[in-house]
């Protein structure tokens, strides 16, 4: 099917007003024309989008879903028009890059530099997100592309893995486990666990070792909002935290000891975006990330072997 943008705009205006007369006046079209366009749109979709009575108009469940999609399509189109006009005037275009703590670790600078070399007309805006948003702005469309950590709830996203990093457990320097170099998951199942506060159940389950617990819960969960807050909770002996091995390099703390976990699978860092047909800037960014990943095996070996570091 080929729904034109004008028809989408008519539907969005009507969905916002929920009144044919007001929507028609707002759009400077005849009410009869508006009714016909909406009926034709429903015919193309094969489902009613609105319930009409003599007293009111309301969205059907299908209409609510389609409204969200229409907003996204129109927002992307309007942003593309603005950026295309800007390029035509010699202006920079902007790529919004989201990331969670650590981004792509030692690959990050190389990826940003490679993208700048490929697309010198583009301006990159970097946006950091905390534990509450493991998808770094992609779900809410506040970013165009993002460095994320897997596993997480990535439904609807296109994901390109960059590397998989071992996991470690952070414990207080006074904790009995702090004298060990390596532990197994079984050693941690009776410990209180610090975990980021988020609604992403897939992400949360991984960092609380839920897959090893047979349906049971940790004795206590301590929810945190940031990595620095998590470090203080661990240093105070309130809980342990399961975290990427890069914490040794990026988040050292005098009161925290990081210990290799032998039998918990690693966390994958990936670059992700929403559309299977991304705009050229997003496609260029993903290509740059792949190129850097493939040409920097030494950096990857350092990252992927970091759990054995002292």
């Amino acid at each position: 099917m080929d729904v034109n943008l004008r028809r989408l705009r008519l539907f969005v205006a009507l969905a916002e007003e929920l009144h044919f007369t007001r929507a028609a006046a707002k759009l400077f079209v005849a009410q009869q024309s508006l009714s016909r366009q909406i009926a034709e749109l429903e015919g193309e979709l094969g489902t009613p989008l609105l319930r009409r009575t003599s007293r009111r108009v309301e969205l059907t469940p299908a209409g609510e879903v389609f409204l969200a999609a229409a907003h996204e399509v129109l927002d992307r189109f309007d942003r593309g028009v603005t950026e295309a006009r800007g390029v035509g005037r010699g202006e920079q275009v902007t790529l919004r890059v989201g990331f969670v703590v650590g981004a792509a670790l030692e690959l990050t600078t190389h990826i940003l530099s490679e993208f700048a070399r490929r697309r010198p007309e583009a301006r990159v805006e970097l946006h950091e997100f905390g534990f509450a948003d493991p998808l770094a702005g992609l779900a809410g469309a506040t970013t165009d592309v993002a460095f994320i950590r897997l596993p997480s709830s990535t439904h609807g996203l296109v994901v390109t893995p960059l590397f998989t990093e071992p996991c470690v457990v952070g414990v207080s320097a006074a904790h009995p486990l702090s004298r060990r170099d390596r532990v197994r998951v079984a050693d941690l199942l009776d410990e209180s666990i610090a975990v980021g506060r988020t609604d992403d159940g897939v992400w949360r389950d991984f960092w609380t070792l839920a897959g090893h617990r047979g349906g049971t819960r940790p004795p206590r969960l301590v929810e945190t909002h940031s990595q620095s807050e998590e470090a203080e909770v661990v240093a105070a002996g309130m809980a342990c935290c399961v975290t990427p091995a890069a914490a040794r390099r990026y988040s050292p703390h005098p009161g925290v000891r990081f210990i290799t976990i032998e039998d918990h699978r690693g966390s994958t860092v990936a670059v992700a975006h929403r559309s299977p047909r991304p705009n050229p800037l997003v496609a260029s960014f993903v290509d740059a990330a792949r190129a850097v990943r493939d040409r920097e095996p030494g950096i990857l070996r350092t990252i992927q072997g970091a759990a054995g570091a002292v």
Side-chain angles (χ1 to χ4, degrees):
M1 59 181 297
D2 184 20
V3 178
N4 63 52
L5 292 176
R6 174 171 171 74
R7 193 166 285 170
L8 284 182
R9 294 191 194 280
L10 292 174
F11 169 71
V12 168
L14 178 57
E16 291 173 347
E17 294 291 337
L18 292 177
H19 194 284
F20 276 87
T21 302
R22 289 198 300 268
K26 179 179 179 180
L27 296 165
F28 302 101
V29 299
Q31 182 175 334
Q32 183 179 5
S33 175
L34 175 60
S35 297
R36 185 179 67 255
Q37 294 275 357
I38 297 301
E40 290 175 357
L41 175 60
E42 291 177 318
E44 291 180 354
L45 291 172
T47 186
L49 300 174
L50 300 156
R51 294 190 189 95
R52 307 161 178 82
T53 69
S54 59
R55 294 188 175 183
R56 62 185 301 180
V57 176
E58 62 183 13
L59 290 170
T60 64
E64 293 175 354
V65 171
F66 189 71
L67 177 61
H71 274 304
E72 185 172 353
V73 168
L74 292 173
D75 288 347
R76 289 185 184 180
F77 176 79
D78 292 340
R79 189 165 69 244
V81 169
T82 299
E83 291 178 352
R85 287 173 175 166
V87 171
R89 293 192 296 266
E91 298 175 359
Q92 285 188 318
V93 291
T94 299
L95 181 70
R96 301 169 302 168
V97 179
F99 64 97
V100 292
V101 174
L105 304 182
E106 286 85 353
L107 291 184
T108 307
T109 301
H110 296 280
I111 292 170
L112 295 175
S113 297
E114 178 66 18
F115 176 71
R117 184 188 68 78
R118 294 178 179 219
R119 299 300 297 261
E121 80 282 8
R123 180 171 66 92
V124 173
E125 286 184 356
L126 295 175
H127 301 269
E128 183 175 8
F129 291 82
F131 291 149
D133 188 359
L135 298 184
L138 291 177
T142 56
T143 56
D144 304 305
V145 64
F147 295 114
I148 64 172
R149 275 197 175 270
L150 306 176
S152 59
S153 299
T154 56
H155 178 71
L157 298 184
V158 179
V159 176
T160 301
L162 298 179
F163 55 82
T164 298
E165 181 186 13
C167 291
V168 297
V169 61
V171 300
S172 164
H175 194 287
L177 291 176
S178 68
R179 296 187 293 272
R180 297 171 58 173
D181 294 325
R182 310 180 79 81
V183 296
R184 298 182 64 82
V185 169
D187 299 320
L188 307 174
L189 297 183
D190 292 331
E191 299 288 339
S192 298
I193 299 290
V195 65
R197 182 187 294 272
T198 178
D199 294 328
D200 189 329
V202 175
W203 189 92
R204 184 184 179 92
D205 284 352
F206 179 79
W207 298 110
T208 58
L209 305 174
H212 300 270
R213 295 183 184 277
T216 64
R217 293 172 58 84
R220 181 179 177 225
L221 284 178
V222 180
E223 294 187 325
T224 59
H225 298 86
S226 67
Q227 194 168 43
S228 58
E229 182 178 319
E230 185 174 82
E232 294 304 329
V233 165
V234 172
M238 298 167 61
C240 302
C241 70
V242 180
T243 191
R248 283 189 171 119
R249 308 191 302 282
Y250 283 76
S251 306
H253 189 292
V256 177
R257 174 87 191 281
F258 295 107
I259 306 164
T260 299
I261 305 175
E262 294 182 337
D263 53 345
H264 188 43
R265 64 191 175 99
S267 170
T268 297
V269 170
V271 60
H273 56 89
R274 292 184 301 278
S275 172
R277 292 192 295 272
N279 69 50
L281 277 186
V282 171
S284 291
F285 190 88
V286 174
D287 287 345
R290 284 198 192 99
V292 169
R293 174 197 64 190
D294 294 343
R295 78 172 186 228
E296 298 291 349
I299 293 178
L300 292 183
R301 282 195 296 271
T302 298
I303 292 172
Q304 294 170 338
V310 177

